[in-house]
């Protein structure tokens, strides 16, 4: 069933209500504090386990493109905004010995939510 | 015993010990072969098309990336254009990301981000999920880039990996790992080294090697190749040929 872009709320492919429908204006901007969601997925995702639940900062908005989990099954239609997210190494691995070091990765919008307890 | 007897393939005399041979093939390689054979069978492309495309893909190499970096170093106006729209700027150095497949060279995506190093920021690229790589600019990735060893450890212990490549950075330099997991491809723009003032673009391109654009090495005058140390085996396996020669 085709989803209307004007819907207030939409469902993702696992039936979870999303606060922010896909295909709208980007939800986040550069500098926003975000947290990688720890959602379940079927067989395929490009959201790494090492980033799940970790708080980072939006470093860039890259492009809008197909939902990776849809594309893996040749499902066309839903597009979403992608972001480069920057994490402090210390937030990923507490025993990491260098304060300044960082890791960046790309994340599609569905996998991000505003950081809880954001400073 | 004469030579012919010794090396006959049917006699009990044959005592030549071949070095153990291990042939490894991954599930994905099996899958690729199966899909390719099906595609050829169904006439989507021919075996000759596949051979030619493989030849093309393997011939790309990192020279385009070296030219891009050297031009950015020498031409501020080009740098501005490249940072604004990297894929478009690649056209100026003769690299069209949309050729020949229409969606990247070869079968890659067409988003490119240039990661600019500064004296206090060093970028290094990996792909923890597979081996995403800016192939139109750098050609096929080196074997080590695809290993799980590099991919797993770079996000967790980047400074240790860099040290294994001979690159030791002071703590005040921020090491920023870029895990290239989606559709953006990344190339590192290193800091132009001192001692290269008045160099031409061609001279500069020579020291911008593949490893410098992945971020596991720094360009420097005189360093024009990615040479990794080769350690001799501590207990090398000898075949009977060697034993005979030693007698």
């Amino acid at each position: 069933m085709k989803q209307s872009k004007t819907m207030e709320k939409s469902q993702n492919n696992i039936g979870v209500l999303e606060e922010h429908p896909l295909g709208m204006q980007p939800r986040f901007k550069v500098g926003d504090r975000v947290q990688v969601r720890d959602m379940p997925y079927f067989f395929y995702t490009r959201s790494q386990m090492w980033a799940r639940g970790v708080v980072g900062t939006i470093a860039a908005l890259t492009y809008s493109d197909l939902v990776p989990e849809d594309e893996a099954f040749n499902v066309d239609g839903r597009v979403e905004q992608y972001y480069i997210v920057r994490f402090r190494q210390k937030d990923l691995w507490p025993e990491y010995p260098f304060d300044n070091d960082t890791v960046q990765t790309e994340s599609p919008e569905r996998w991000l939510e505003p950081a809880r307890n954001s400073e | 015993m004469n030579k012919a007897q010794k090396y006959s393939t049917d006699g009990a005399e044959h005592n030549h010990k071949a070095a153990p041979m291990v042939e490894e093939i991954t599930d994905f390689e099996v899958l690729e072969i199966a899909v390719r054979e099906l595609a050829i069978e169904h006439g989507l492309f021919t075996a000759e098309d596949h051979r030619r495309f493989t030849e093309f893909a393997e011939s790309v190499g990192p020279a385009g990336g070296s030219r891009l970096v050297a031009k950015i170093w020498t031409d501020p106006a080009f740098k501005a254009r490249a940072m604004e729209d990297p894929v478009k700027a690649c056209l100026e150095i003769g690299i069209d990301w949309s050729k020949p497949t229409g969606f990247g060279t070869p079968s890659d995506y067409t988003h490119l981000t240039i990661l600019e190093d500064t004296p206090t920021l060093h970028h290094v690229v990996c792909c923890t999920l597979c081996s995403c790589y800016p192939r139109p600019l750098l050609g096929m990735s080196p074997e080590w880039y695809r290993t799980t060893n590099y991919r797993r450890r770079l996000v967790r212990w980047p400074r240790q990996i860099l040290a294994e490549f001979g690159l030791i950075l002071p703590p005040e330099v921020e090491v920023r790992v870029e895990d290239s997991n989606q559709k953006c491809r990344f190339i590192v723009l290193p800091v132009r080294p001192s001692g290269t003032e008045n160099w031409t673009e061609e001279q500069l391109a020579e020291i911008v090697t593949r490893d410098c654009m992945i971020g596991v090495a720094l360009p420097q005058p005189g360093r024009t190749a990615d040479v990794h140390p080769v350690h001799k085996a501590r207990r090398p396996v000898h075949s009977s040929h060697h034993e005979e020669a030693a007698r």
Side-chain angles (χ1 to χ4, degrees):
Chain A
M1 193 179 69
K2 258 216 140 84
Q3 282 179 329
S4 161
K5 285 188 177 180
T6 54
M7 277 168 67
E8 289 282 303
K9 297 225 173 198
S10 68
Q11 287 197 328
N12 65 16
N13 56 356
I14 53 166
V16 174
L17 274 177
E18 291 176 340
E19 297 152 28
H20 191 85
L22 298 177
M24 307 278 287
Q25 287 299 304
R27 183 179 187 184
F28 304 107
K29 59 182 190 307
V30 172
D32 282 358
R33 299 280 283 162
V34 292
Q35 186 156 1
V36 180
R37 299 171 72 180
D38 194 7
M39 294 194 291
Y41 61 93
F42 291 117
F43 307 117
Y44 182 87
T45 183
R46 295 197 71 79
S47 294
Q48 312 92 326
M49 295 307 294
W50 62 257
R52 303 284 177 90
V54 182
V55 173
T57 307
I58 301 283
L61 277 68
T62 44
Y63 46 81
S64 283
D65 212 318
L66 295 172
V67 170
E69 292 79 6
D70 286 358
E71 207 180 358
F73 294 94
N74 213 17
V75 176
D76 207 339
R78 298 195 302 169
V79 294
E80 60 181 326
Q81 180 65 44
Y82 284 68
Y83 302 87
I84 292 180
V85 185
R86 185 177 305 156
F87 304 98
R88 287 173 66 237
Q89 286 278 24
K90 283 237 179 231
D91 292 337
L92 288 162
W93 339 96
E95 69 277 29
Y96 189 91
F98 297 89
D99 289 335
N100 294 337
D101 291 0
T102 49
V103 181
Q104 291 188 158
T105 192
E106 246 186 304
S107 201
E109 192 165 279
R110 283 167 312 116
W111 283 89
L112 299 175
E113 58 188 346
R116 295 184 289 267
N117 314 318
S118 176
E119 313 99 291
Chain B
M1 185 171 65
N2 66 32
K3 245 194 150 106
Q5 276 175 318
K6 182 167 159 62
Y7 292 108
S8 69
T9 51
D10 51 357
E13 292 293 319
H14 182 71
N15 62 355
H16 167 68
K17 280 181 280 175
M21 187 158 73
V22 182
E23 210 165 304
E24 286 181 37
I25 185 160
T26 65
D27 291 351
F28 291 107
E29 286 169 302
V30 173
L31 186 64
E32 184 274 320
I33 294 165
V35 172
R36 186 209 318 162
E37 287 179 347
L38 269 173
I40 292 169
E41 224 173 276
H42 285 262
L44 296 180
F45 52 81
T46 66
E48 171 62 9
D49 291 336
H50 182 268
R51 187 201 64 75
R52 275 173 39 215
F53 191 78
T54 307
E55 191 175 60
F56 159 75
E58 286 175 357
S59 73
V60 176
S66 310
R67 288 207 307 279
L68 179 75
V69 171
K71 196 168 169 63
I72 287 176
W73 279 348
T74 51
D75 182 347
F78 177 74
K79 181 181 178 179
R81 292 197 293 279
M83 300 311 281
E84 177 68 28
D85 188 343
V87 170
K88 195 174 163 198
C90 284
L91 289 170
E92 295 185 44
I93 54 156
I95 289 167
D96 186 345
W97 278 62
S98 67
K99 279 188 177 164
T101 56
F103 51 87
T105 317
S107 71
D108 217 275
Y109 293 105
T110 51
H111 301 287
L112 173 66
T113 297
I114 299 172
L115 303 169
E116 186 179 7
D117 284 355
T118 70
T120 54
L121 174 64
H122 178 82
H123 291 90
V124 56
V125 184
C126 74
C127 172
T128 56
L129 295 172
C130 46
S131 54
C132 300
Y133 195 68
R135 284 184 285 191
L137 282 173
L138 299 187
M140 301 298 255
S141 57
E143 192 271 338
W144 53 259
Y145 183 88
R146 303 174 213 162
T147 59
T148 46
N149 182 318
Y150 175 79
R151 290 155 45 198
R152 280 178 189 155
R153 290 170 63 225
L154 192 77
V155 282
R156 182 69 182 83
W157 301 110
R159 286 176 185 267
Q160 286 81 343
I161 293 260
L162 293 178
E164 287 166 22
F165 279 98
L167 179 59
I168 295 167
L169 296 165
E172 58 271 22
V173 173
E174 173 185 340
V175 171
R176 182 174 291 168
V177 176
E178 183 69 58
D179 181 2
S180 157
N181 65 318
Q182 303 277 355
K183 298 180 185 182
C184 260
R185 298 292 173 262
F186 299 90
I187 183 172
V188 176
L189 169 60
V191 176
R192 181 173 172 171
S194 56
T196 61
E197 299 77 16
N198 307 319
W199 279 29
T200 65
E201 220 174 284
E202 289 71 28
Q203 278 176 299
L204 288 166
E206 273 183 37
I207 60 165
V208 185
T209 62
R210 178 198 69 202
D211 284 4
C212 299
M213 295 178 279
I214 300 173
V216 297
L218 292 179
Q220 58 188 72
R223 184 189 178 282
T224 55
D226 295 322
V227 182
H228 301 288
V230 176
H231 301 288
K232 281 190 171 177
R234 261 193 291 175
R235 291 191 295 159
V237 176
H238 289 290
S239 74
S240 53
H241 298 297
H242 295 111
E243 284 158 26
E244 211 132 276
R247 258 178 233 145

